[in-house]
Amino acid sequence: MATAESVRAAISPKKSPAANKKRRGKKKKKRISKHVLKAKESLASGGQEGSASENERQNVAATHSSNVKDPSDVYAYLTGWKSSGGVSSREGGWKFNKNTQNWLIRHAYDFEKVPKASFTLLMEYLAGLKGDDTKKRLLSDATRRAMRYKEYETQAQQQQATVSSEDAETKQDDQKAEENEIKEKLEQKQLEDARDTGEDRARWEKLSDHDKRKEYKRARKILDCFRE
């Protein structure tokens, strides 16, 4: 008579030795906690952002270096131009540089970037410009600055009650002569854009009376430089 154990053994399927070995060799999947996964994602994201930020810093540095020039280098450029007679050379002599020229024109009224010695040479340099568009732009800017100062000077003098009538009349006559000359240039050149920009006006308002006068003198010199 069959026992209960023999019956259960007969009913249960027997597993082969190979199946048992496969089961024993099967490894449990390692579970990774959520905070570890988040840390890895954050690290990977930070690395990508760091490399992007570094590329941006390099691009800004390259742009900054191309726009910023040392005043001594600019002076050397002008002296080299004068020594060469304005002839560009490929063999170690003076070479024309469009970026340097644009920088000089853009900062012609900056007393620190273009000091007096450099500005004197710049006037000679500008007299030989060939581009009409550049000349018109310089005339427009110089006229605007000159007119702005004359208006400022007139208003300041009107507030001075201690000036004698004779001196006042003489000064007014001189002012009118200068203003008429500048207005004629405006009409002749048809400088439609000879108006203050908000940003430049704000900069000019911060200048001292002495620096305002210096800017006016530079504007007059540029106007005289292109006098026909």
Side-chain angles (χ1 to χ4, degrees):
M1 182 175 180
T3 63
E5 291 182 358
S6 63
V7 172
R8 282 196 299 269
I11 294 173
S12 301
K14 294 183 179 181
K15 295 182 180 179
S16 64
N20 292 332
K21 185 177 180 180
K22 183 177 180 180
R23 186 176 181 181
R24 287 195 302 270
K26 189 180 293 184
K27 295 181 179 179
K28 291 184 178 180
K29 186 177 180 180
K30 186 177 181 181
R31 297 185 61 183
I32 303 175
S33 61
K34 291 183 179 180
H35 73 275
V36 173
L37 288 173
K38 288 183 179 180
K40 288 184 177 180
E41 291 176 359
S42 176
L43 181 61
S45 175
Q48 292 176 356
E49 292 177 358
S51 60
S53 299
E54 181 63 25
N55 291 335
E56 290 178 0
R57 284 193 293 269
Q58 291 176 357
N59 292 335
V60 170
T63 303
H64 182 71
S65 61
S66 63
N67 292 335
V68 176
K69 295 185 180 297
D70 191 290
S72 61
D73 293 338
V74 176
Y75 180 73
Y77 175 82
L78 291 171
T79 54
W81 163 81
K82 187 168 184 177
S83 299
S84 67
V87 179
S88 183
S89 173
R90 296 182 180 179
E91 299 178 356
W94 175 82
K95 293 182 181 180
F96 170 75
N97 189 309
K98 183 70 173 179
N99 291 333
T100 301
Q101 176 177 290
N102 290 339
W103 188 93
L104 280 164
I105 292 173
R106 188 165 58 251
H107 298 289
Y109 296 94
D110 191 316
F111 314 126
E112 293 183 358
K113 295 179 180 178
V114 184
K116 185 176 181 180
S118 295
F119 185 78
T120 300
L121 287 171
L122 179 60
M123 291 300 95
E124 299 180 30
Y125 182 91
L126 294 180
L129 283 180
K130 297 180 180 180
D132 290 337
D133 291 340
T134 303
K135 289 181 180 179
K136 288 179 180 179
R137 188 168 68 252
L138 283 165
L139 280 169
S140 171
D141 188 45
T143 302
R144 175 180 60 83
R145 292 172 187 270
M147 289 291 292
R148 178 173 60 189
Y149 179 79
K150 294 309 295 181
E151 291 174 0
Y152 164 79
E153 188 181 50
T154 300
Q155 292 175 1
Q157 289 181 352
Q158 288 175 351
Q159 296 174 356
Q160 293 177 355
T162 57
V163 180
S164 64
S165 59
E166 292 183 359
D167 291 340
E169 289 177 0
T170 302
K171 289 183 178 180
Q172 287 177 0
D173 290 340
D174 293 340
Q175 291 171 11
K176 288 180 180 179
E178 290 180 349
E179 289 174 0
N180 290 336
E181 183 180 355
I182 294 172
K183 288 179 180 179
E184 287 176 3
K185 285 185 176 294
L186 273 172
E187 296 174 356
Q188 293 171 0
K189 301 296 181 181
Q190 298 180 348
L191 303 176
E192 298 177 353
D193 57 339
R195 293 179 295 180
D196 266 340
T197 60
E199 184 178 351
D200 185 63
R201 182 75 187 189
R203 176 202 62 81
W204 186 81
E205 291 287 354
K206 295 179 182 179
L207 295 177
S208 64
D209 291 344
H210 179 66
D211 286 343
K212 285 184 174 72
R213 179 69 179 175
K214 285 174 66 177
E215 181 178 289
Y216 167 72
K217 287 183 177 180
R218 289 198 172 190
R220 289 291 306 178
K221 288 181 178 179
I222 290 177
L223 290 173
D224 293 340
C225 179
F226 295 110
R227 186 187 299 274
E228 297 179 354

